Amino acid sequence: MYDIKGIREDFPILSRTVYDKPLVYLDNAATTQKPRFVVNTIVSEYYSVNANVHRGVHFLSQQATDLHERSREAVRKFINARSVSEIVFTRGTTESINLVASSFVCSQMKPGDEVIVSVMEHHSNIVPWQLQAERFGIVLKVIPMNDRGELLLDEYERLFSKRTKLVSVTHVSNVLGTVNPIERIIGIAHDYGVPVLVDGAQSIPHMPVDVQALDADFYVFSGHKVYGPTGIGVLYGKEYWLEKLPPYQGGGEMIQKVTFEKTTFNELPFKFEAGTPDYIGSVALSNALGYISMLGMDQIAEYEHQLMCYATERLKEIPGMRILGEAEHKSGVISFLVGNIHPFDMGTLLDRLGIAVRTGHHCAEPLMHRLGIEGTVRASFALYTTKEEIDALVEGILRICKMFE
Ligand code: C6P
């Protein structure tokens, strides 16, 4: 039984009003709301266990360290990594990708070597590679998609050459909602002996993820998109690769021994965690993962699938509705345009009705170019979204359409 009423009570913000109207929060791909359990974790840890980790001999520091490291184990378990050595805490998806881009390119690639990304990537999985391209002369190749928003796997395979050193693709598109066939994408890359980074920012909140079953070499995500706090995220990397890569930043914690002549580095995962880590955020994140595990990722996926089907059907009833992204497998988001109404106008007017959606290019400008548009309106769902909220969205759009008639 999926107790949606009980679940919504766990998220106090959902019962607030905006402009004297009940909040309808449909911007979950940007960030999710936090259950009371997660917020309470942050408060109680600051009140009762706050001390810097890995450094102190005193009781509090040891307790904080213990909680922080137990959180790493919780993340390991959640994505089924082999070892906690493979779980690096970062500030989020963006930092995780920058870390791999920086450390992988300088150590594993030569000028002219190639990285494959896809046309539907978020800027966070484009710009870090471009920065490295400028510094090291590497080349970016792009997997195209069809008009439904599905990657063309034959074209993908044709992109491989002797110079291909890494594939970096999103699991789920933050604009189209396409769930990419990530196992096949990884399988093809591995046939060419090429490792794969999976941007899991939009998959981790919506479906069970098993990095070993996927055979992903790197898998990255942000805490704030999975009911956890902002400012913390995860880089999963196979030990084999993390051992090969040089540190990303220097500072405390990531060292073994420092002299002015030479520094040696700490073991995994600490080699990649320079400075005081977000040891409060890690515990809150692990409790967020605990919360959704308790609900069951399969149950969440099933519930959200029903919502997606319902929302798609209902939105299609609207005259002039154009849904961007009609892949066979979709999750989490629906992007659309209605008639000639500018997405910004639609978003602003929906907001006045208490309905929060996102408008614009969604940090995926190359995808907008491919679609031949400037932006979309995007409704994105979470485990607490209801059919009534989707009805409110549809009614809101119809009202706005009338204003533009
Ligand atoms: N997308 C959205 O509204 P950060 O900002 O590091 O937590 O996540 C970046 C990121 C990377 N990849 C994908 C697929 C994403 O969707 C995002 C974040 C948000 O779509 C904010 S732009």
Side-chain angles (χ1 to χ4, degrees), residues 10-43:
D10 292 336
F11 294 80
I13 203 171
L14 297 179
S15 57
R16 70 160 288 176
T17 54
V18 289
Y19 311 113
D20 289 332
K21 306 207 167 52
L23 170 69
V24 175
Y25 185 76
L26 299 177
D27 194 18
N28 294 287
T31 199
T32 51
Q33 300 303 344
K34 319 303 170 201
R36 191 179 277 109
F37 179 47
V38 168
V39 179
N40 286 348
T41 302
I42 296 169
V43 175

Coordinates of all heavy atoms in Angstrom, one line a residue, residues 10-43:
D10 N 4.8 13.8 5.8 CA 6.2 13.8 6.2 C 6.9 15.0 5.6 O 8.1 15.3 6.0 CB 6.9 12.5 5.7 CG 6.4 11.3 6.4 OD1 6.0 11.4 7.5 OD2 6.6 10.2 5.8
F11 N 6.3 15.7 4.7 CA 6.9 16.9 4.0 C 6.1 18.1 4.4 O 5.2 18.5 3.6 CB 6.9 16.7 2.5 CG 7.8 15.5 2.1 CD1 7.3 14.2 2.1 CD2 9.1 15.8 1.5 CE1 8.1 13.2 1.7 CE2 9.9 14.7 1.1 CZ 9.4 13.4 1.2
P12 N 6.5 18.8 5.5 CA 5.7 20.0 6.0 C 5.5 21.0 4.9 O 4.4 21.6 4.8 CB 6.5 20.5 7.1 CG 7.3 19.3 7.6 CD 7.6 18.5 6.4
I13 N 6.4 21.3 4.0 CA 6.3 22.4 3.1 C 5.2 22.2 2.1 O 4.6 23.1 1.6 CB 7.7 22.5 2.3 CG1 7.8 24.0 1.7 CG2 7.8 21.5 1.2 CD1 9.2 24.3 1.1
L14 N 4.8 20.9 1.9 CA 3.7 20.6 0.9 C 2.4 21.2 1.3 O 1.5 21.3 0.5 CB 3.6 19.1 0.6 CG 4.9 18.5 0.0 CD1 4.6 17.0 -0.2 CD2 5.2 19.1 -1.3
S15 N 2.2 21.5 2.6 CA 0.9 22.0 3.1 C 0.9 23.5 3.2 O -0.1 24.1 3.6 CB 0.5 21.4 4.4 OG 1.5 21.6 5.3
R16 N 1.9 24.2 2.7 CA 1.9 25.6 2.7 C 1.1 26.2 1.5 O 0.8 25.5 0.6 CB 3.3 26.3 2.8 CG 4.1 26.1 1.5 CD 5.3 27.1 1.5 NE 4.8 28.5 1.3 CZ 5.5 29.6 1.3 NH1 6.8 29.5 1.5 NH2 5.0 30.7 1.0
T17 N 0.8 27.5 1.6 CA 0.2 28.1 0.4 C 1.1 29.2 -0.2 O 2.0 29.6 0.5 CB -1.1 28.9 0.9 OG1 -0.8 29.8 2.0 CG2 -2.2 27.9 1.4
V18 N 0.9 29.5 -1.5 CA 1.6 30.6 -2.1 C 0.5 31.4 -2.8 O -0.5 30.8 -3.4 CB 2.6 30.2 -3.1 CG1 3.8 29.6 -2.4 CG2 2.1 29.2 -4.1
Y19 N 0.6 32.7 -2.7 CA -0.5 33.6 -3.2 C -1.9 33.1 -2.7 O -2.9 33.1 -3.4 CB -0.5 33.7 -4.7 CG 0.8 33.9 -5.4 CD1 1.4 32.9 -6.1 CD2 1.5 35.1 -5.2 CE1 2.6 33.1 -6.8 CE2 2.7 35.4 -5.8 CZ 3.2 34.4 -6.6 OH 4.5 34.6 -7.2
D20 N -1.9 32.7 -1.4 CA -3.2 32.2 -0.8 C -3.8 31.0 -1.6 O -5.0 30.7 -1.4 CB -4.3 33.3 -0.8 CG -3.9 34.4 0.2 OD1 -3.2 34.0 1.2 OD2 -4.3 35.6 0.0
K21 N -3.0 30.3 -2.3 CA -3.4 29.1 -3.0 C -2.6 27.9 -2.5 O -1.4 28.1 -2.1 CB -3.3 29.2 -4.5 CG -4.0 30.5 -5.0 CD -4.4 30.3 -6.4 CE -5.3 31.4 -6.8 NZ -4.8 32.8 -6.6
P22 N -3.1 26.7 -2.4 CA -2.3 25.6 -2.0 C -1.1 25.4 -3.0 O -1.3 25.5 -4.2 CB -3.3 24.4 -2.1 CG -4.6 24.9 -2.5 CD -4.5 26.4 -2.8
L23 N 0.0 25.2 -2.4 CA 1.2 25.0 -3.2 C 1.1 23.7 -4.0 O 0.8 22.6 -3.5 CB 2.5 24.9 -2.4 CG 3.8 24.4 -3.0 CD1 4.3 25.5 -4.0 CD2 4.8 24.1 -2.0
V24 N 1.3 23.8 -5.4 CA 1.4 22.6 -6.2 C 2.8 22.5 -6.7 O 3.2 23.3 -7.6 CB 0.4 22.6 -7.4 CG1 0.6 21.4 -8.3 CG2 -1.0 22.6 -6.8
Y25 N 3.7 21.7 -6.1 CA 5.1 21.8 -6.4 C 5.5 20.8 -7.4 O 5.5 19.6 -7.2 CB 5.9 21.5 -5.1 CG 7.4 21.7 -5.3 CD1 7.9 23.0 -5.4 CD2 8.2 20.6 -5.4 CE1 9.3 23.1 -5.7 CE2 9.6 20.8 -5.7 CZ 10.1 22.0 -5.8 OH 11.5 22.2 -6.0
L26 N 5.7 21.3 -8.7 CA 6.0 20.4 -9.8 C 7.4 20.7 -10.4 O 7.5 20.8 -11.6 CB 4.9 20.4 -10.8 CG 3.5 20.0 -10.4 CD1 2.5 20.1 -11.5 CD2 3.5 18.5 -9.9
D27 N 8.3 21.1 -9.5 CA 9.7 21.4 -9.9 C 10.7 20.5 -9.2 O 11.7 20.9 -8.8 CB 10.0 22.9 -9.6 CG 11.2 23.4 -10.4 OD1 11.6 22.7 -11.3 OD2 11.8 24.4 -10.0
N28 N 10.3 19.2 -9.2 CA 11.1 18.3 -8.4 C 12.4 17.9 -9.1 O 13.3 17.4 -8.4 CB 10.3 17.0 -8.1 CG 9.1 17.4 -7.2 OD1 9.4 17.6 -6.0 ND2 7.9 17.5 -7.7
A29 N 12.5 18.1 -10.4 CA 13.8 17.8 -11.1 C 14.8 18.8 -10.7 O 16.0 18.5 -10.8 CB 13.6 17.7 -12.6
A30 N 14.4 20.0 -10.4 CA 15.3 21.0 -9.9 C 15.8 20.7 -8.5 O 17.0 20.7 -8.3 CB 14.7 22.4 -10.0
T31 N 14.9 20.5 -7.6 CA 15.2 20.0 -6.3 C 14.0 19.4 -5.7 O 12.9 19.9 -5.9 CB 15.9 21.1 -5.4 OG1 16.6 20.4 -4.3 CG2 14.9 22.0 -4.8
T32 N 14.2 18.4 -4.8 CA 13.0 17.8 -4.2 C 12.8 18.4 -2.8 O 13.8 19.0 -2.2 CB 13.2 16.3 -3.9 OG1 14.5 16.1 -3.3 CG2 13.2 15.5 -5.2
Q33 N 11.7 18.3 -2.2 CA 11.4 18.8 -0.9 C 12.0 17.7 0.1 O 12.3 16.6 -0.3 CB 9.9 19.0 -0.6 CG 9.4 20.1 -1.6 CD 10.1 21.4 -1.5 OE1 10.8 21.7 -0.5 NE2 9.9 22.3 -2.5
K34 N 12.1 18.1 1.4 CA 12.8 17.3 2.4 C 11.8 16.8 3.4 O 11.1 17.6 4.0 CB 13.9 18.0 3.1 CG 14.7 19.0 2.2 CD 15.4 18.3 1.0 CE 16.0 19.3 0.1 NZ 16.2 18.7 -1.3
P35 N 11.9 15.5 3.7 CA 11.0 15.0 4.8 C 11.5 15.5 6.1 O 12.7 15.8 6.3 CB 11.1 13.5 4.7 CG 12.4 13.2 3.9 CD 12.7 14.4 3.1
R36 N 10.5 15.6 7.0 CA 10.8 16.1 8.4 C 12.0 15.3 9.0 O 12.9 15.9 9.6 CB 9.6 15.8 9.3 CG 9.6 16.5 10.6 CD 8.3 16.2 11.4 NE 7.3 17.1 11.0 CZ 6.2 16.8 10.3 NH1 6.0 15.6 9.9 NH2 5.3 17.7 10.0
F37 N 12.0 14.0 8.7 CA 13.1 13.1 9.2 C 14.5 13.6 8.9 O 15.4 13.6 9.7 CB 12.8 11.7 8.6 CG 13.8 10.6 9.0 CD1 14.2 10.4 10.3 CD2 14.3 9.8 8.0 CE1 15.1 9.4 10.6 CE2 15.1 8.7 8.3 CZ 15.5 8.6 9.6
V38 N 14.6 14.1 7.6 CA 15.9 14.5 7.1 C 16.3 15.9 7.8 O 17.4 16.1 8.2 CB 15.9 14.7 5.6 CG1 17.1 15.4 5.1 CG2 15.8 13.3 5.0
V39 N 15.3 16.8 7.8 CA 15.6 18.1 8.4 C 15.9 17.9 9.9 O 16.9 18.5 10.4 CB 14.4 19.0 8.2 CG1 14.7 20.4 8.9 CG2 14.1 19.2 6.7
N40 N 15.2 17.1 10.6 CA 15.5 16.8 12.0 C 16.9 16.3 12.2 O 17.5 16.6 13.2 CB 14.4 15.9 12.6 CG 13.1 16.5 12.8 OD1 13.0 17.8 12.7 ND2 12.0 15.8 13.0
T41 N 17.3 15.5 11.3 CA 18.7 14.9 11.4 C 19.7 16.0 11.5 O 20.6 16.0 12.3 CB 19.0 14.1 10.2 OG1 18.1 13.0 10.0 CG2 20.4 13.5 10.2
I42 N 19.5 17.0 10.6 CA 20.5 18.2 10.5 C 20.4 18.9 11.9 O 21.5 19.2 12.4 CB 20.1 19.1 9.3 CG1 20.2 18.3 8.0 CG2 21.0 20.3 9.4 CD1 19.7 19.0 6.8
V43 N 19.2 19.2 12.4 CA 19.1 20.0 13.6 C 19.7 19.2 14.7 O 20.6 19.7 15.5 CB 17.6 20.3 13.9 CG1 17.5 21.0 15.2 CG2 17.1 21.2 12.8

